[in-house]
Amino acid sequence: MKKNFQKIIFILFIFNSAFLQAQRHRCGSAERLQQHILANPALQQIRSRNEIATKQWLANKGNFRGNTGVTTIPVVVHIIYNIAAQNISDQQVLSQIAVLNKDFRKLNSDSLHPQHPFYKYTADAKVEFCLAQKDPNGKPTSGITRTSTNIKKWDSNNEDDIKSTANGGHDNWDPTKYLNIWVGNLTGNYVGFSTFPDELVTAPELDGVVIAFESFGTMGAAGSGLGAGNVLGRTGTHEIGHWLNLSHIWGDAKCGDDSVADTEPAESENYDCPSFPHRANNACGTGPNGEMYMNFMDYADDSCLNMYTKGQAGRMQATLNTMRQALLTSNACSQNNIIENLDLRFLINVFPNPNNGKFTVSIDGDEKSMTTIYIYDLLGNIIKGPILFLKNQSTKEISELACGVYMLKIQNGSNFCTKKIVVTN
Ligand SMILES: [Zn+2]
C-alpha cells in the first residue's frame, strides 16, 4: 500500500513537472526590468523621464491616425547554436520577419472581424521590418549571423551572455540603428525576453530581443519541443512590442496599468486560448466584453493573439520618435553602398539652428558639386529634396518648413551624414 502511495506521488510529480513546463511563460521582460531597476535605481528615473516625453509626444501628435509614415526597422538575427538543430534555417528567419510585417501592419489573416466588439480598437502600427543589408561597417550582409558556441543552454544564470561574443554569444550591432534579435536554446521559465528602450542609456550592450529557437518563426524548429503553442511567430511580435516600450496589458499587477487607454483592464495574464467574452465584468471594471486576451501583449497561445490597439500603436510611434529616433535615419536596409561618414558632418554647417523655417546649409571642402540634401520628417517621409548643390556652390538657402523637428540627410558621393534641425516660430 505504501509502495502504491509512493508510486502515485511520483506519477503526480511527473505530471506536475510536465504541466509546469507546458505552462512556460511567454516572456521574462518585465521580471528582468525589475531586476535591472533594483541593481541600478537610476534606471527608474530614466523611465520616469521617458514616460513624460512619451506622453508629451502623444499629446502633441495625438492624431496618430492622421500620420501616414511607415518606419522600416533594420533587423539583424544572431543565431547562436550548440547543436545543428539550433542552427535554424534562413527560411525560418524569413518566416518570422514575414509574421512581423503582417502583425505590425494589421495584415494578419486572423485579424478580428469588423463585427467583433474589439475591432474598433485594432490598429496598423505602421512599423515594418527588413533584414539588414549593410552591417555596421557598411559591408553587405544577409542580416543573419551564425555563431557556434560551447554553451549548451541559456537560462537565468547566463542568459545575457548570449549577447556577448566573449561569453559564447554575439555582441549586438549598434542598437540605435538595428533591432538585434538573438535566437538560441533558452531553457529557463520563458521563451523570450526583451529590453525596454530606457535601457539604451544604462546598458546599450544588452539592447534587443532574445527568443527560443523553438518559438521563432513559423516553420523548421518552430513549435517543436517547449515551443508548443508558439508556432506562429507571435513571441517575436510580443517581444518587439516591449522593445518599442509596450507593457503587458495587465500592467504586471492585478488590474495593473499598461499606460495605454484602449486595452481593457485585465486581472492578470491569460493562457491557452480563452473564448470571447473572457472574464466579462472582471474585478478591474471591464464591461461585458471582458479582457482583451487576443492582444499581442498578453500570454495566450499564438493562434489566439491577433491585435495591437490604436493606443499601443501610438505609444510605439512615440518611442520611434523619441528614445529610438536614430532608427528613423538608419540606412541599414538600403541596397546602395553609401555609408555614414562622421567626417562629412564636420564639413557641413546648418545655421541658424533652431530656426523659423528658413536656414542656410554651407559646405566646406572641395567636393561640393556632388552634394545632395534630403529633408525628412521624423516619420521618415521626404519633405524636401533632392536639393542639389551646383558646382562650386558652397551655400544653399532653404525655406518654408513648418514647425517641427527634421533630419537633414546630406549625401556626398558614396558618403552621407545626418543633421537634426529644429524649426520653431
Ligand atoms: Zn512580455
Side-chain angles (χ1 to χ4, degrees), residues 338-367:
I338 63 169
I339 55 171
E340 189 159 18
N341 182 338
L342 290 179
D343 289 339
L344 185 61
R345 177 171 286 202
F346 300 114
L347 300 177
I348 311 280
N349 287 300
V350 178
F351 57 91
N353 190 18
N355 56 63
N356 62 1
K358 187 175 174 186
F359 58 95
T360 301
V361 180
S362 76
I363 304 172
D364 295 324
D366 53 9
E367 287 191 87

Side-chain angles (χ1 to χ4, degrees), residues 27 29 238-239 242 248 299:
C27 154
S29 304
H238 176 107
E239 295 305 337
H242 288 310
H248 294 137
Y299 277 0

Side-chain angles (χ1 to χ4, degrees), residues 172-180 200 204-205 207-208 243 324 327:
N172 65 357
W173 289 4
D174 181 352
T176 68
K177 299 292 175 67
Y178 299 87
L179 161 59
N180 286 265
L200 260 183
E205 73 281 6
D207 188 79
W243 190 77
R324 295 204 183 275
L327 284 170

Side-chain angles (χ1 to χ4, degrees), residues 74 76 78 132-143 145 170-175 177-178 180 330-334 336-342 414-416:
V76 55
H78 304 293
Q133 303 207 24
K134 273 194 284 246
D135 74 8
N137 296 317
K139 299 251 168 58
T141 175
S142 63
T145 73
H170 196 297
D171 293 344
N172 65 357
W173 289 4
D174 181 352
K177 299 292 175 67
Y178 299 87
N180 286 265
S330 175
N331 72 337
C333 280
S334 69
N336 57 27
N337 287 320
I338 63 169
I339 55 171
E340 189 159 18
N341 182 338
L342 290 179
S414 59
N415 299 307
F416 82 93

